[in-house]
Amino acid sequence: MPDLPAGRPANNRLLMVMPYEQLVRKAVAAGFRVWSLWDPALRGPAYLSQVAEHSEELLRADFGDVAGLRALVAKTARAHRVHAVLHMGSEATMVPVAAEAERLGLALNPASALRLLNDKAALRETLNTTPETTVAARCATTPADVRRAVAGRSLPAVVKPTGSAGSRGVALLRSAADLDRWEAAVRREGVPGPYLVEDYLTGPEFSVETLSSGGRHRLIGITAKQTSGPPGFVETGHFFPAPLSEPDRAAVLRATTDLLDRCGYRFGPAHTEVVLTSRGPRVVESQARLGGDRIPLLIATASGFDIEQAVFGILSDGRLPRPPEPHRHAAIRFFRLPPGRLTGTGDTGAIRALSHVHALHFPHAPGGLLPPVTNSATRHGYAVVHADTPQQAVRRLDEVESMLAASVAETGGPRQEGAAR
């Protein structure tokens, strides 16, 4: 693995796999020359042209062809004498890219660390080596195996794919009927196994954002999560910073850094989800990337700290940044309207003009069909606000929804997570 320098690297050439446009832009601003590698099936030409605008070159690959992807990583790295290979996109291709980078001596993390973090079953197996972090779990290859695993344990239990994200294929099983509904959903949506069946953890849930360098970990922030609850646990909102006592905050941080140490994680961002149970914190899952759901924007809104930019600062000089100090609160709410045809909305321009609104995303126009909300990808939009208190943040988000004034002619589709708030 390349050593992170004490000063700006003499070789500032970086190969980024699946880089989002703002990451390439911030890497270049930090002094790097970037070669970007994307699968054009995953982003449209307009988006990829933005990536290309900031890149030395935009290379295209089929991410489903692992051998071809690894070959292109090797060819590009050698041709342009890059210093390191960085992948902060989706988890599916992280491990093979890291394995190739490791073979070339250009990996920022060992492939084994990424496999342990991104594979929910491997992560659970790693954590279950000590009693204080154990959560009873069993891996199942097929839905039929899930049925056998459920038959051999007490309920309730949670079932989830080991390699999926965004709440796809996640369900709380309390009865045989729940299992039937889950199996029908994963078959209908094409959510592949293997699956993990594990204890249902109760308690407040948090997202923990960290940055690492040389195997040292720095807490950037803890976000309080809101979900739709069972059966699908779709995330409905976040508050930053989380309202935690100092002992609870320290316990959540210890659980997170202990996990990163066990996995051998050395560099970059990690996004770890933790439930604070009556027996102490338990890790739900973790990913070797930045948090989704606009968590970086919440951190920046509350504290002015740019976690994306900080990644390239670490890559430049190897030093972990000072932790941010929030001076206000930030919150996001995801819109969950009834499924049906959108018949009207309020003035979205007036919402965006509010000084406390930092983002409004509602990509729907009257006449369009709104799907039922069954996972993160099917939520109908979001708003981000700042406030002096969490209570004021709730009032401001209520105001945004009232001004949005979305009206829907319902179609009678599934509403278990698509009902209006």
Side-chain angles (χ1 to χ4, degrees):
M1 283 175 283
D3 293 327
L4 295 183
R8 187 174 298 280
N11 181 347
N12 66 343
R13 300 171 179 226
L14 187 62
L15 172 58
M16 296 181 66
V17 178
M18 202 178 181
Y20 302 117
E21 177 272 333
Q22 78 275 12
L23 295 179
V24 182
R25 177 165 34 87
K26 291 176 183 181
V28 171
F32 290 95
R33 298 176 63 190
V34 178
W35 282 260
S36 298
L37 202 162
W38 259 101
D39 185 338
L42 301 178
R43 281 292 189 275
Y47 188 90
L48 293 181
S49 69
Q50 292 178 313
V51 175
E53 180 182 348
H54 304 289
S55 305
E56 299 288 325
E57 184 179 1
L58 174 65
L59 302 111
R60 293 166 171 81
D62 175 2
F63 285 0
D65 176 5
V66 172
L69 174 61
R70 290 187 61 157
L72 184 56
V73 166
K75 178 182 177 181
T76 306
R78 290 191 181 110
H80 300 290
R81 303 186 302 280
V82 304
H83 172 69
V85 178
L86 180 63
H87 190 333
M88 294 193 297
S90 67
E91 294 86 342
T93 51
M94 277 188 181
V95 173
V97 167
E100 187 61 31
E102 199 168 12
R103 189 182 70 82
L104 298 168
L106 303 175
L108 294 163
N109 279 295
S112 59
L114 303 188
R115 183 184 67 83
L116 290 174
L117 277 180
N118 292 337
D119 185 310
K120 297 175 179 62
L123 179 142
R124 185 61 65 209
E125 184 178 353
T126 300
L127 288 169
N128 282 0
T129 56
T130 54
E132 62 270 18
T133 58
T134 291
V135 175
R138 180 177 169 185
C139 196
T141 304
T142 66
D145 293 331
V146 169
R147 287 188 175 276
R148 285 188 282 273
V150 170
R153 60 169 296 144
S154 60
L155 297 178
V158 171
V159 60
K160 57 187 176 183
T162 63
S164 188
S167 302
R168 292 185 70 237
V170 179
L172 177 64
L173 306 178
R174 291 173 291 198
S175 67
D178 289 335
L179 183 55
D180 291 340
R181 282 189 288 269
W182 170 80
E183 182 172 355
V186 296
R187 292 190 186 281
R188 181 176 63 250
E189 297 171 15
V191 182
Y195 311 98
L196 195 65
V197 180
E198 62 183 15
D199 285 349
Y200 173 41
L201 302 174
T202 58
E205 191 169 351
F206 304 95
S207 292
V208 186
E209 312 309 316
T210 53
L211 289 173
S212 301
S213 178
R216 296 175 296 119
H217 315 297
R218 176 65 45 82
L219 174 67
I220 301 303
I222 301 176
T223 305
K225 296 176 56 174
Q226 294 179 319
T227 76
S228 62
F233 301 97
V234 177
E235 293 178 4
T236 59
H238 303 299
F239 288 83
F240 182 88
L244 278 167
S245 69
E246 187 53 40
D248 284 344
R249 179 179 179 276
V252 168
L253 176 58
R254 279 195 304 272
T256 302
T257 56
D258 174 66
L259 166 67
L260 298 176
D261 285 341
R262 290 199 206 188
C263 292
Y265 194 63
R266 296 191 53 78
F267 171 85
H271 169 70
T272 306
E273 298 176 12
V274 179
V275 172
L276 192 55
T277 75
S278 59
R279 297 179 294 133
R282 294 292 185 272
V283 171
V284 177
E285 57 188 59
S286 187
Q287 289 87 32
R289 57 167 172 76
L290 295 158
D293 282 354
R294 303 310 308 271
I295 287 177
L297 176 59
L298 296 185
I299 295 171
T301 298
S303 68
F305 183 87
D306 188 331
I307 189 172
E308 296 172 338
Q309 187 178 59
V311 172
F312 301 104
I314 297 171
L315 197 57
S316 288
D317 60 27
R319 293 195 294 264
L320 288 169
R322 292 173 58 87
E325 298 180 3
H327 58 274
R328 60 186 179 184
H329 296 264
I332 186 169
R333 178 179 295 169
F334 297 95
F335 305 132
R336 296 178 300 135
L337 300 167
R341 190 170 298 280
L342 183 66
T343 57
T345 64
D347 185 350
T348 55
I351 297 173
R352 291 188 174 93
L354 295 172
S355 61
H356 53 264
V357 172
H358 292 258
L360 175 70
H361 178 66
F362 190 71
H364 308 284
L369 286 174
L370 300 178
V373 177
T374 58
N375 55 54
S376 296
T378 54
R379 294 173 302 194
H380 299 138
Y382 60 80
V384 173
V385 302
H386 79 255
D388 294 327
T389 66
Q391 294 78 16
Q392 185 185 50
V394 171
R395 292 193 296 271
R396 286 179 168 178
L397 289 168
D398 288 343
E399 174 193 30
V400 167
E401 281 204 294
S402 177
M403 292 176 66
L404 184 62
S407 55
V408 180
E410 298 183 41
T411 59
R415 296 199 55 192
Q416 55 196 19
E417 286 138 30
R421 298 183 71 262

